[in-house]
Amino acid sequence: MNIKKIHLKNRDVILHHIDGETIMTSLINNEISIPKACGVGCCGVCKVKKNSGIIKMNDKGGITNEEIKEGYILACCSYPMSNITLDF
């Protein structure tokens, strides 16, 4: 099992993330509340800022290219590929 770390910068919390889970799933499993609606990358409600690390995002249009360039991701359809830091 490959475990990565998710650092929530604004909360000074580090979570352990299990491969195959979305960032949103890791947050929910650790009892951290995050705004959510569609759960598949269409609405953009779960948008968070990624400060560092590599992710794979399978969005369905809930985020603009401009937002992606600014470092935003959708937690519901993003998978950490390395340790990551989020402004959350």
Side-chain angles (χ1 to χ4, degrees):
M1 182 182 317
N2 192 356
I3 297 178
K4 297 175 180 69
K5 293 180 182 175
I6 300 175
H7 177 217
L8 305 179
K9 185 177 173 187
N10 294 343
R11 298 175 186 230
D12 198 28
V13 171
I14 296 177
L15 309 175
H16 291 164
H17 173 85
I18 299 171
D19 275 351
E21 292 183 344
T22 64
I23 293 169
M24 178 179 285
T25 300
S26 287
L27 294 172
I28 291 169
N29 286 346
N30 284 276
E31 300 180 0
I32 296 183
S33 180
I34 181 169
K36 60 185 184 295
C38 75
V40 294
C42 292
C43 69
V45 171
C46 64
K47 197 176 304 165
V48 295
K49 176 87 180 245
K50 178 181 66 77
N51 289 33
S52 67
I54 300 167
I55 60 107
K56 176 183 171 189
M57 183 167 57
N58 300 323
D59 73 289
K60 297 190 176 20
I63 190 168
T64 66
N65 286 335
E66 173 95 9
E67 291 169 322
I68 293 169
K69 287 178 188 174
E70 292 173 1
Y72 289 93
I73 63 169
L74 299 178
C76 72
C77 58
S78 294
Y79 301 84
M81 306 308 287
S82 70
N83 294 337
I84 62 171
T85 300
L86 303 176
D87 264 346
F88 179 75

